Amino acid sequence: MYPVTRTSARLALRELVVDDVDALSAVYGSAEATRYLSFEPRTREQTGLVVARSMVAAVAEPRTEYALAVRERAGDGPLVGFARLALGGQRAGQIGFALRPDRWGRGYGTELVGALLDFGFDGLGLHRIWAARAPDNAASRAVLTRSGMTEEGRIRHHVHVRGAWRDSVIHSRLAHDPPPT
Ligand SMILES: CC(C)(COP(=O)(O)OP(=O)(O)OC[C@H]1O[C@@H](n2cnc3c(N)ncnc32)[C@H](O)[C@@H]1OP(=O)(O)O)[C@@H](O)C(=O)NCCC(=O)NCCS
């Protein structure tokens, strides 16, 4: 599916473009935003490569990766984060997401995960959507739980980052799970 556009109450998701590199660096290059992610802050050049790879993956057939820019719908609609849904296995997809730190605490994270789940289940017909978070990532835990994603276990030494192995806690939601209350 290309191009993908999705909206929630305050956010809009769209395909990445070359001009997004600087704005995306406020997320990918931020020590605060990447603290619990599986990679260290990226340089502008590295962010540029991610955008380029994502643009190529976006037009692959079949498409297995949806790396999307997240922008605010209000005002000039600045880019405030990124969202990713990667297909794998049988009708399954993994989501990842991050927002600019100056936008945290407004409910955007919950809104964004809701939009990704809608896209995966309704747009792509997936059966299972899952996410992996750092055990200490309390904000992610709150967002995933509130989005109806059940905590289902821990993968030991899932990623090697910042010079050490790190476990991940897995959350998932199935297509037929009841909506979050
Ligand atoms: C995770 C993230 C997207 C959340 O975005 P957000 O817009 O702040 O999310 P929301 O406002 O919808 O909800 C955040 C919740 O986390 C809670 N929270 C934030 N920091 C917390 C902490 N240190 N301890 C406990 N709870 C915390 C907030 O209180 C809020 O819950 P509440 O509404 O019940 O009070 C954002 O923090 C982020 O981009 N982090 C960096 C990238 C990342 O960790 N991505 C997830 C990868 S799995």
Side-chain angles (χ1 to χ4, degrees):
M1 189 187 295
Y2 179 89
V4 170
T5 55
R6 307 291 290 191
T7 53
S8 62
R10 294 171 295 170
L11 302 175
L13 277 59
R14 62 153 170 76
E15 302 289 350
L16 286 164
V17 295
V18 172
D19 282 351
D20 289 331
V21 174
D22 284 332
L24 206 57
S25 287
V27 186
Y28 275 134
S30 158
E32 202 180 359
T34 56
R35 179 175 170 200
Y36 294 116
L37 300 186
S38 58
F39 56 86
E40 296 187 44
R42 290 184 163 133
T43 62
R44 189 187 180 284
E45 189 183 359
Q46 289 169 329
T47 301
L49 287 174
V50 171
V51 170
R53 274 201 304 268
S54 300
M55 290 172 64
V56 171
V59 290
E61 281 291 345
R63 185 173 185 181
T64 57
E65 186 181 332
Y66 296 84
L68 304 170
V70 180
R71 66 170 189 82
E72 282 174 343
R73 293 176 66 181
D76 63 352
L79 189 150
V80 293
F82 73 87
R84 185 169 179 269
L85 195 159
L87 304 186
Q90 294 181 299
R91 287 175 57 200
Q94 179 182 5
I95 57 170
F97 49 89
L99 295 166
R100 258 167 50 180
D102 66 346
R103 297 301 200 273
W104 293 358
R106 303 177 183 192
Y108 280 3
T110 305
E111 213 172 293
L112 176 55
V113 169
L116 281 171
L117 291 171
D118 281 348
F119 173 54
F121 289 131
D122 300 337
L124 299 175
L126 298 182
H127 177 69
R128 168 185 159 84
I129 297 177
W130 62 284
R133 66 166 171 88
D136 294 339
N137 193 345
S140 177
R141 179 178 192 275
V143 164
L144 294 169
T145 303
R146 194 186 306 136
S147 303
M149 298 190 73
T150 303
E151 200 171 299
E152 63 180 24
R154 190 168 178 127
I155 300 179
R156 296 187 301 155
H157 287 197
H158 184 212
V159 293
H160 193 269
V161 62
R162 294 168 203 89
W165 288 105
R166 196 212 76 195
D167 294 356
S168 289
V169 174
I170 304 303
H171 290 247
S172 73
R173 183 149 154 212
L174 304 180
H176 60 252
D177 280 345
T181 47

